[in-house]
Amino acid sequence: MLIKKSLTKAARVLHLTQPAVSKQLNSLEKYYGTSLLHRTSRHMEVTEAGKMVYEYSQQILSKINESLADVQALQKDLYGSLLLGASSIPGEYILPAALGRFQALHSQVKVKLEIADSTEIGQLLQDGKIEAGMIGVILENPVLKQEHIFEDELVVIASSQHPLTKKKSIALEDFLEERVIFREAGSGTRLVIENKLIEKGIAPDSLKTRLELGSTEAVINAVAAGLGISLVSRFAVQNRIKAGEIAVLPIDDLPLERGLYFITRRDQVISPLVEAFYNFLKDYLRPY
């Protein structure tokens, strides 16, 4: 679970009440005998103890989900071809590892993964060229069944030498003054960003768009080269952040969560293989 810096936001994502989350947090802090979160008037920060508990919890949850997947694999002998499609973030940064794990459990399953923007994946599914997909935006298409499977986080990124990295956080006004690098029209990430700006009363075409590029990796490389700033999934940049090539600019007044969706056709009979992969994927993504 991504850190929301707000118990209210965390409760919303977990589908719990804020008091229920507070009660669980208080129980944890009592158990460990120390504060796990540092509360300020604006938001909360994770303490060093909290980070340690979080890391151990991730490992525990990961092992529990691995055991569940392995036990389920013993009960079903899956085989055949799985035709999937995905937009760039799930297709390049999430599904390859998930599919590797799935095939390790089901060695007779062959997978073909088509990667394109969210709109194209929806069309491929509608045309019957793939069986299921994973995208980063809800499409206005009544033919498609779109189920929320994971909550992704978008982050504002800049080169590690960018002047804004000296600030603890930036305001929306800071973002609007910068040259922006975007994915091409039709990209799920771009559609989400544009919709969030519209919700704030900002016309997307008022941004100082410097480049439009055809892949997330190209966007990240352009940002690292100092050509501008951008918004991308944290999944896409976590290794570059660790390497010090890219910096994240926390932004105070722009909510940057977005859903990832597993899509099928409403009129389609879901095969046991697609259903098995969907259930596997839900368990696989839980530790994140």
Short mmCIF file of all heavy atoms in Angstrom, two decimals, residues 223-279:
data_model
loop_
_atom_site.label_atom_id
_atom_site.label_comp_id
_atom_site.label_asym_id
_atom_site.label_seq_id
_atom_site.Cartn_x
_atom_site.Cartn_y
_atom_site.Cartn_z
N VAL A 223 13.41 13.75 -19.19
CA VAL A 223 13.44 14.44 -17.89
C VAL A 223 14.84 14.36 -17.28
O VAL A 223 15.38 15.35 -16.78
CB VAL A 223 12.39 13.85 -16.93
CG1 VAL A 223 12.59 14.37 -15.51
CG2 VAL A 223 10.97 14.18 -17.42
N ALA A 224 15.44 13.17 -17.32
CA ALA A 224 16.78 12.99 -16.76
C ALA A 224 17.80 13.88 -17.47
O ALA A 224 18.77 14.33 -16.86
CB ALA A 224 17.20 11.52 -16.88
N ALA A 225 17.56 14.16 -18.77
CA ALA A 225 18.46 15.02 -19.54
C ALA A 225 18.21 16.50 -19.28
O ALA A 225 18.89 17.36 -19.85
CB ALA A 225 18.31 14.72 -21.03
N GLY A 226 17.24 16.83 -18.43
CA GLY A 226 16.98 18.21 -18.07
C GLY A 226 16.12 18.98 -19.04
O GLY A 226 16.12 20.21 -19.05
N LEU A 227 15.33 18.26 -19.86
CA LEU A 227 14.51 18.93 -20.88
C LEU A 227 13.17 19.42 -20.34
O LEU A 227 12.46 20.14 -21.04
CB LEU A 227 14.28 18.00 -22.07
CG LEU A 227 15.55 17.52 -22.79
CD1 LEU A 227 15.18 16.63 -23.97
CD2 LEU A 227 16.38 18.70 -23.26
N GLY A 228 12.82 19.03 -19.14
CA GLY A 228 11.55 19.45 -18.57
C GLY A 228 11.17 18.53 -17.43
O GLY A 228 11.95 17.67 -17.01
N ILE A 229 9.94 18.71 -16.90
CA ILE A 229 9.43 17.85 -15.84
C ILE A 229 8.25 17.06 -16.38
O ILE A 229 7.75 17.33 -17.48
CB ILE A 229 9.02 18.66 -14.59
CG1 ILE A 229 7.79 19.53 -14.88
CG2 ILE A 229 10.18 19.51 -14.09
CD1 ILE A 229 7.24 20.22 -13.65
N SER A 230 7.80 16.06 -15.63
CA SER A 230 6.68 15.26 -16.11
C SER A 230 5.98 14.61 -14.93
O SER A 230 6.41 14.73 -13.77
CB SER A 230 7.15 14.20 -17.10
OG SER A 230 6.04 13.56 -17.71
N LEU A 231 4.89 13.90 -15.23
CA LEU A 231 4.20 13.06 -14.25
C LEU A 231 4.16 11.65 -14.81
O LEU A 231 3.72 11.43 -15.94
CB LEU A 231 2.77 13.54 -14.02
CG LEU A 231 2.61 14.83 -13.22
CD1 LEU A 231 2.06 15.93 -14.11
CD2 LEU A 231 1.67 14.60 -12.05
N VAL A 232 4.63 10.71 -14.02
CA VAL A 232 4.64 9.31 -14.44
C VAL A 232 4.29 8.43 -13.24
O VAL A 232 4.25 8.89 -12.10
CB VAL A 232 6.02 8.88 -15.00
CG1 VAL A 232 6.39 9.69 -16.23
CG2 VAL A 232 7.10 9.00 -13.93
N SER A 233 4.05 7.15 -13.51
CA SER A 233 3.82 6.21 -12.42
C SER A 233 5.10 6.01 -11.63
O SER A 233 6.20 5.94 -12.18
CB SER A 233 3.37 4.87 -13.00
OG SER A 233 3.43 3.85 -12.02
N ARG A 234 4.95 5.89 -10.31
CA ARG A 234 6.12 5.62 -9.47
C ARG A 234 6.78 4.30 -9.87
O ARG A 234 7.99 4.13 -9.75
CB ARG A 234 5.72 5.59 -7.98
CG ARG A 234 6.92 5.44 -7.05
CD ARG A 234 6.50 5.48 -5.59
NE ARG A 234 6.14 6.81 -5.14
CZ ARG A 234 7.02 7.71 -4.71
NH1 ARG A 234 8.32 7.43 -4.70
NH2 ARG A 234 6.61 8.89 -4.29
N PHE A 235 5.99 3.34 -10.34
CA PHE A 235 6.54 2.07 -10.80
C PHE A 235 7.64 2.29 -11.84
O PHE A 235 8.63 1.58 -11.87
CB PHE A 235 5.44 1.21 -11.45
CG PHE A 235 4.76 0.29 -10.50
CD1 PHE A 235 3.44 0.53 -10.13
CD2 PHE A 235 5.39 -0.82 -9.97
CE1 PHE A 235 2.79 -0.33 -9.26
CE2 PHE A 235 4.75 -1.67 -9.10
CZ PHE A 235 3.44 -1.43 -8.74
N ALA A 236 7.43 3.28 -12.72
CA ALA A 236 8.32 3.47 -13.85
C ALA A 236 9.65 4.09 -13.47
O ALA A 236 10.63 3.97 -14.22
CB ALA A 236 7.64 4.34 -14.91
N VAL A 237 9.72 4.76 -12.32
CA VAL A 237 10.94 5.51 -11.99
C VAL A 237 11.61 5.07 -10.70
O VAL A 237 12.63 5.65 -10.32
CB VAL A 237 10.65 7.03 -11.90
CG1 VAL A 237 10.35 7.61 -13.26
CG2 VAL A 237 9.50 7.32 -10.93
N GLN A 238 11.10 4.05 -10.03
CA GLN A 238 11.66 3.72 -8.72
C GLN A 238 13.14 3.36 -8.79
O GLN A 238 13.93 3.74 -7.92
CB GLN A 238 10.85 2.61 -8.04
CG GLN A 238 10.58 1.38 -8.85
CD GLN A 238 9.50 0.52 -8.21
OE1 GLN A 238 8.94 0.84 -7.16
NE2 GLN A 238 9.20 -0.60 -8.84
N ASN A 239 13.57 2.67 -9.86
CA ASN A 239 15.00 2.33 -9.98
C ASN A 239 15.84 3.56 -10.31
O ASN A 239 16.97 3.70 -9.82
CB ASN A 239 15.20 1.25 -11.03
CG ASN A 239 14.65 -0.09 -10.59
OD1 ASN A 239 14.56 -0.37 -9.39
ND2 ASN A 239 14.26 -0.92 -11.54
N ARG A 240 15.29 4.45 -11.12
CA ARG A 240 16.02 5.68 -11.49
C ARG A 240 16.14 6.62 -10.29
O ARG A 240 17.11 7.37 -10.17
CB ARG A 240 15.34 6.38 -12.66
CG ARG A 240 15.10 5.51 -13.90
CD ARG A 240 16.37 5.24 -14.67
NE ARG A 240 16.82 6.37 -15.44
CZ ARG A 240 16.44 6.60 -16.70
NH1 ARG A 240 15.59 5.79 -17.32
NH2 ARG A 240 16.93 7.65 -17.35
N ILE A 241 15.15 6.60 -9.42
CA ILE A 241 15.20 7.40 -8.19
C ILE A 241 16.32 6.89 -7.29
O ILE A 241 17.14 7.66 -6.78
CB ILE A 241 13.85 7.37 -7.44
CG1 ILE A 241 12.77 8.07 -8.27
CG2 ILE A 241 13.97 8.03 -6.07
CD1 ILE A 241 11.37 7.84 -7.74
N LYS A 242 16.37 5.55 -7.13
CA LYS A 242 17.41 4.95 -6.29
C LYS A 242 18.80 5.25 -6.84
O LYS A 242 19.76 5.43 -6.08
CB LYS A 242 17.20 3.44 -6.21
CG LYS A 242 15.97 3.03 -5.41
CD LYS A 242 15.79 1.53 -5.43
CE LYS A 242 14.52 1.11 -4.69
NZ LYS A 242 14.30 -0.36 -4.77
N ALA A 243 18.92 5.32 -8.17
CA ALA A 243 20.21 5.59 -8.80
C ALA A 243 20.59 7.07 -8.75
O ALA A 243 21.71 7.44 -9.13
CB ALA A 243 20.20 5.11 -10.25
N GLY A 244 19.66 7.93 -8.33
CA GLY A 244 19.94 9.36 -8.23
C GLY A 244 19.83 10.12 -9.52
O GLY A 244 20.22 11.29 -9.59
N GLU A 245 19.28 9.50 -10.57
CA GLU A 245 19.15 10.17 -11.86
C GLU A 245 17.92 11.06 -11.93
O GLU A 245 17.88 12.05 -12.66
CB GLU A 245 19.06 9.13 -12.99
CG GLU A 245 20.24 8.17 -13.07
CD GLU A 245 19.96 7.06 -14.06
OE1 GLU A 245 19.27 7.31 -15.06
OE2 GLU A 245 20.43 5.94 -13.83
N ILE A 246 16.90 10.68 -11.16
CA ILE A 246 15.60 11.35 -11.19
C ILE A 246 15.22 11.73 -9.76
O ILE A 246 15.49 10.98 -8.82
CB ILE A 246 14.52 10.42 -11.79
CG1 ILE A 246 14.78 10.14 -13.26
CG2 ILE A 246 13.12 11.00 -11.60
CD1 ILE A 246 14.55 11.31 -14.18
N ALA A 247 14.59 12.88 -9.61
CA ALA A 247 14.08 13.30 -8.30
C ALA A 247 12.56 13.42 -8.37
O ALA A 247 12.00 13.82 -9.40
CB ALA A 247 14.69 14.63 -7.89
N VAL A 248 11.90 13.05 -7.30
CA VAL A 248 10.45 13.23 -7.17
C VAL A 248 10.19 14.57 -6.50
O VAL A 248 10.81 14.91 -5.50
CB VAL A 248 9.82 12.09 -6.36
CG1 VAL A 248 8.36 12.39 -6.05
CG2 VAL A 248 9.94 10.78 -7.10
N LEU A 249 9.26 15.34 -7.06
CA LEU A 249 8.86 16.62 -6.50
C LEU A 249 7.48 16.46 -5.86
O LEU A 249 6.47 16.44 -6.57
CB LEU A 249 8.80 17.69 -7.59
CG LEU A 249 10.07 17.90 -8.43
CD1 LEU A 249 9.82 18.94 -9.51
CD2 LEU A 249 11.24 18.31 -7.56
N PRO A 250 7.41 16.29 -4.54
CA PRO A 250 6.09 16.19 -3.89
C PRO A 250 5.27 17.44 -4.18
O PRO A 250 5.77 18.56 -4.07
CB PRO A 250 6.43 16.08 -2.41
CG PRO A 250 7.84 15.58 -2.38
CD PRO A 250 8.51 16.20 -3.57
N ILE A 251 4.01 17.25 -4.56
CA ILE A 251 3.15 18.39 -4.88
C ILE A 251 1.97 18.39 -3.91
O ILE A 251 1.31 17.37 -3.72
CB ILE A 251 2.70 18.33 -6.36
CG1 ILE A 251 1.90 19.58 -6.74
CG2 ILE A 251 1.96 17.06 -6.68
CD1 ILE A 251 1.73 19.74 -8.25
N ASP A 252 1.71 19.54 -3.30
CA ASP A 252 0.77 19.62 -2.19
C ASP A 252 -0.70 19.55 -2.59
O ASP A 252 -1.50 18.94 -1.91
CB ASP A 252 1.00 20.92 -1.39
CG ASP A 252 2.32 20.90 -0.64
OD1 ASP A 252 2.75 19.80 -0.26
OD2 ASP A 252 2.91 21.97 -0.45
N ASP A 253 -1.05 20.20 -3.68
CA ASP A 253 -2.47 20.43 -3.95
C ASP A 253 -2.97 19.78 -5.24
O ASP A 253 -3.83 20.31 -5.92
CB ASP A 253 -2.76 21.93 -3.99
CG ASP A 253 -1.68 22.72 -4.74
OD1 ASP A 253 -0.78 22.08 -5.31
OD2 ASP A 253 -1.75 23.96 -4.75
N LEU A 254 -2.41 18.63 -5.58
CA LEU A 254 -2.89 17.89 -6.75
C LEU A 254 -2.89 16.40 -6.42
O LEU A 254 -1.83 15.80 -6.28
CB LEU A 254 -1.99 18.15 -7.97
CG LEU A 254 -2.49 17.57 -9.30
CD1 LEU A 254 -3.80 18.24 -9.73
CD2 LEU A 254 -1.42 17.73 -10.39
N PRO A 255 -4.09 15.80 -6.22
CA PRO A 255 -4.14 14.37 -5.90
C PRO A 255 -3.64 13.54 -7.08
O PRO A 255 -4.06 13.75 -8.23
CB PRO A 255 -5.63 14.13 -5.63
CG PRO A 255 -6.34 15.21 -6.38
CD PRO A 255 -5.43 16.40 -6.35
N LEU A 256 -2.74 12.61 -6.83
CA LEU A 256 -2.08 11.92 -7.93
C LEU A 256 -2.25 10.40 -7.91
O LEU A 256 -1.47 9.68 -8.52
CB LEU A 256 -0.57 12.27 -7.93
CG LEU A 256 -0.26 13.73 -8.29
CD1 LEU A 256 1.22 14.01 -8.17
CD2 LEU A 256 -0.73 14.06 -9.70
N GLU A 257 -3.27 9.91 -7.22
CA GLU A 257 -3.58 8.49 -7.31
C GLU A 257 -4.40 8.22 -8.56
O GLU A 257 -5.17 9.07 -9.01
CB GLU A 257 -4.34 8.01 -6.08
CG GLU A 257 -3.57 8.06 -4.78
CD GLU A 257 -3.54 9.44 -4.17
OE1 GLU A 257 -4.39 10.27 -4.52
OE2 GLU A 257 -2.65 9.70 -3.34
N ARG A 258 -4.23 7.04 -9.13
CA ARG A 258 -5.09 6.63 -10.24
C ARG A 258 -5.23 5.12 -10.22
O ARG A 258 -4.34 4.39 -9.78
CB ARG A 258 -4.52 7.12 -11.58
CG ARG A 258 -3.18 6.55 -12.00
CD ARG A 258 -3.32 5.36 -12.93
NE ARG A 258 -2.00 4.91 -13.39
CZ ARG A 258 -1.57 5.13 -14.61
NH1 ARG A 258 -2.31 5.76 -15.48
NH2 ARG A 258 -0.36 4.68 -14.96
N GLY A 259 -6.36 4.64 -10.69
CA GLY A 259 -6.62 3.21 -10.69
C GLY A 259 -6.00 2.52 -11.89
O GLY A 259 -5.82 3.13 -12.95
N LEU A 260 -5.67 1.25 -11.71
CA LEU A 260 -5.34 0.37 -12.83
C LEU A 260 -6.48 -0.64 -12.93
O LEU A 260 -6.99 -1.12 -11.91
CB LEU A 260 -4.01 -0.34 -12.61
CG LEU A 260 -2.76 0.55 -12.57
CD1 LEU A 260 -1.52 -0.28 -12.31
CD2 LEU A 260 -2.62 1.36 -13.85
N TYR A 261 -6.86 -0.98 -14.15
CA TYR A 261 -8.08 -1.76 -14.37
C TYR A 261 -7.82 -2.99 -15.23
O TYR A 261 -7.09 -2.94 -16.21
CB TYR A 261 -9.15 -0.87 -15.05
CG TYR A 261 -9.45 0.37 -14.25
CD1 TYR A 261 -8.74 1.55 -14.46
CD2 TYR A 261 -10.42 0.35 -13.26
CE1 TYR A 261 -8.99 2.68 -13.70
CE2 TYR A 261 -10.68 1.48 -12.51
CZ TYR A 261 -9.96 2.64 -12.73
OH TYR A 261 -10.20 3.76 -11.97
N PHE A 262 -8.43 -4.10 -14.81
CA PHE A 262 -8.41 -5.34 -15.58
C PHE A 262 -9.65 -5.35 -16.44
O PHE A 262 -10.76 -5.21 -15.93
CB PHE A 262 -8.40 -6.54 -14.64
CG PHE A 262 -8.08 -7.84 -15.31
CD1 PHE A 262 -6.77 -8.24 -15.51
CD2 PHE A 262 -9.10 -8.68 -15.75
CE1 PHE A 262 -6.46 -9.45 -16.12
CE2 PHE A 262 -8.81 -9.88 -16.37
CZ PHE A 262 -7.48 -10.27 -16.56
N ILE A 263 -9.48 -5.49 -17.75
CA ILE A 263 -10.63 -5.34 -18.65
C ILE A 263 -10.87 -6.61 -19.45
O ILE A 263 -9.95 -7.30 -19.89
CB ILE A 263 -10.46 -4.13 -19.60
CG1 ILE A 263 -9.21 -4.27 -20.49
CG2 ILE A 263 -10.38 -2.84 -18.80
CD1 ILE A 263 -9.12 -3.21 -21.57
N THR A 264 -12.15 -6.91 -19.64
CA THR A 264 -12.61 -7.99 -20.50
C THR A 264 -13.84 -7.48 -21.26
O THR A 264 -14.33 -6.38 -20.99
CB THR A 264 -13.00 -9.24 -19.68
OG1 THR A 264 -13.93 -8.87 -18.65
CG2 THR A 264 -11.77 -9.87 -19.05
N ARG A 265 -14.33 -8.28 -22.19
CA ARG A 265 -15.56 -7.91 -22.89
C ARG A 265 -16.77 -8.42 -22.12
O ARG A 265 -16.77 -9.54 -21.62
CB ARG A 265 -15.57 -8.50 -24.30
CG ARG A 265 -14.77 -7.70 -25.29
CD ARG A 265 -14.66 -8.38 -26.63
NE ARG A 265 -15.94 -8.86 -27.12
CZ ARG A 265 -16.10 -9.44 -28.32
NH1 ARG A 265 -15.06 -9.59 -29.11
NH2 ARG A 265 -17.27 -9.84 -28.71
N ARG A 266 -17.80 -7.60 -22.02
CA ARG A 266 -19.00 -7.98 -21.27
C ARG A 266 -19.69 -9.20 -21.87
O ARG A 266 -20.30 -10.00 -21.15
CB ARG A 266 -19.98 -6.81 -21.21
CG ARG A 266 -19.48 -5.64 -20.37
CD ARG A 266 -20.55 -4.60 -20.16
NE ARG A 266 -20.07 -3.47 -19.37
CZ ARG A 266 -19.98 -3.46 -18.05
NH1 ARG A 266 -20.37 -4.53 -17.36
NH2 ARG A 266 -19.51 -2.41 -17.42
N ASP A 267 -19.65 -9.33 -23.19
CA ASP A 267 -20.33 -10.44 -23.85
C ASP A 267 -19.44 -11.67 -23.99
O ASP A 267 -19.80 -12.65 -24.64
CB ASP A 267 -20.84 -10.01 -25.23
CG ASP A 267 -19.70 -9.60 -26.17
OD1 ASP A 267 -18.53 -9.53 -25.71
OD2 ASP A 267 -19.97 -9.36 -27.36
N GLN A 268 -18.28 -11.64 -23.38
CA GLN A 268 -17.29 -12.70 -23.54
C GLN A 268 -17.42 -13.73 -22.42
O GLN A 268 -17.58 -13.39 -21.25
CB GLN A 268 -15.89 -12.07 -23.52
CG GLN A 268 -14.72 -13.02 -23.48
CD GLN A 268 -13.41 -12.25 -23.33
OE1 GLN A 268 -13.36 -11.03 -23.45
NE2 GLN A 268 -12.35 -12.98 -23.08
N VAL A 269 -17.36 -15.02 -22.79
CA VAL A 269 -17.29 -16.07 -21.78
C VAL A 269 -15.85 -16.16 -21.31
O VAL A 269 -14.94 -16.43 -22.10
CB VAL A 269 -17.75 -17.42 -22.36
CG1 VAL A 269 -17.59 -18.53 -21.31
CG2 VAL A 269 -19.20 -17.34 -22.83
N ILE A 270 -15.62 -15.87 -20.03
CA ILE A 270 -14.26 -15.84 -19.50
C ILE A 270 -13.72 -17.27 -19.38
O ILE A 270 -14.35 -18.12 -18.74
CB ILE A 270 -14.21 -15.15 -18.12
CG1 ILE A 270 -14.80 -13.74 -18.23
CG2 ILE A 270 -12.79 -15.09 -17.58
CD1 ILE A 270 -14.08 -12.84 -19.20
N SER A 271 -12.58 -17.51 -20.00
CA SER A 271 -11.98 -18.85 -19.95
C SER A 271 -11.41 -19.11 -18.56
O SER A 271 -11.07 -18.17 -17.82
CB SER A 271 -10.86 -18.96 -20.99
OG SER A 271 -9.73 -18.19 -20.60
N PRO A 272 -11.29 -20.38 -18.17
CA PRO A 272 -10.67 -20.69 -16.87
C PRO A 272 -9.26 -20.12 -16.75
O PRO A 272 -8.85 -19.75 -15.65
CB PRO A 272 -10.65 -22.23 -16.85
CG PRO A 272 -11.76 -22.64 -17.76
CD PRO A 272 -11.79 -21.59 -18.84
N LEU A 273 -8.52 -20.04 -17.86
CA LEU A 273 -7.16 -19.52 -17.83
C LEU A 273 -7.15 -18.02 -17.51
O LEU A 273 -6.35 -17.56 -16.69
CB LEU A 273 -6.48 -19.79 -19.17
CG LEU A 273 -4.99 -19.46 -19.29
CD1 LEU A 273 -4.20 -20.06 -18.14
CD2 LEU A 273 -4.45 -19.95 -20.63
N VAL A 274 -8.04 -17.26 -18.16
CA VAL A 274 -8.14 -15.82 -17.88
C VAL A 274 -8.58 -15.59 -16.44
O VAL A 274 -8.03 -14.73 -15.72
CB VAL A 274 -9.10 -15.12 -18.86
CG1 VAL A 274 -9.39 -13.69 -18.42
CG2 VAL A 274 -8.52 -15.13 -20.27
N GLU A 275 -9.56 -16.35 -15.98
CA GLU A 275 -10.05 -16.21 -14.61
C GLU A 275 -8.95 -16.53 -13.60
O GLU A 275 -8.78 -15.83 -12.60
CB GLU A 275 -11.25 -17.13 -14.38
CG GLU A 275 -11.87 -16.97 -13.01
CD GLU A 275 -13.13 -17.81 -12.83
OE1 GLU A 275 -13.49 -18.55 -13.76
OE2 GLU A 275 -13.73 -17.73 -11.74
N ALA A 276 -8.17 -17.59 -13.89
CA ALA A 276 -7.08 -17.97 -12.99
C ALA A 276 -6.02 -16.88 -12.94
O ALA A 276 -5.49 -16.56 -11.86
CB ALA A 276 -6.45 -19.29 -13.44
N PHE A 277 -5.71 -16.28 -14.10
CA PHE A 277 -4.69 -15.23 -14.10
C PHE A 277 -5.20 -13.98 -13.37
O PHE A 277 -4.44 -13.34 -12.63
CB PHE A 277 -4.28 -14.86 -15.52
CG PHE A 277 -3.25 -13.76 -15.56
CD1 PHE A 277 -1.97 -13.98 -15.09
CD2 PHE A 277 -3.58 -12.49 -16.02
CE1 PHE A 277 -1.02 -12.96 -15.08
CE2 PHE A 277 -2.64 -11.48 -16.03
CZ PHE A 277 -1.35 -11.72 -15.56
N TYR A 278 -6.47 -13.65 -13.55
CA TYR A 278 -7.04 -12.49 -12.86
C TYR A 278 -6.95 -12.67 -11.34
O TYR A 278 -6.52 -11.76 -10.62
CB TYR A 278 -8.49 -12.31 -13.28
CG TYR A 278 -9.25 -11.26 -12.51
CD1 TYR A 278 -8.89 -9.92 -12.58
CD2 TYR A 278 -10.32 -11.61 -11.69
CE1 TYR A 278 -9.58 -8.95 -11.86
CE2 TYR A 278 -11.01 -10.65 -10.97
CZ TYR A 278 -10.63 -9.33 -11.06
OH TYR A 278 -11.31 -8.37 -10.33
N ASN A 279 -7.32 -13.85 -10.84
CA ASN A 279 -7.27 -14.10 -9.41
C ASN A 279 -5.82 -14.10 -8.91
O ASN A 279 -5.53 -13.59 -7.82
CB ASN A 279 -7.94 -15.43 -9.08
CG ASN A 279 -9.45 -15.38 -9.27
OD1 ASN A 279 -10.07 -14.35 -9.05
ND2 ASN A 279 -10.04 -16.48 -9.69
#
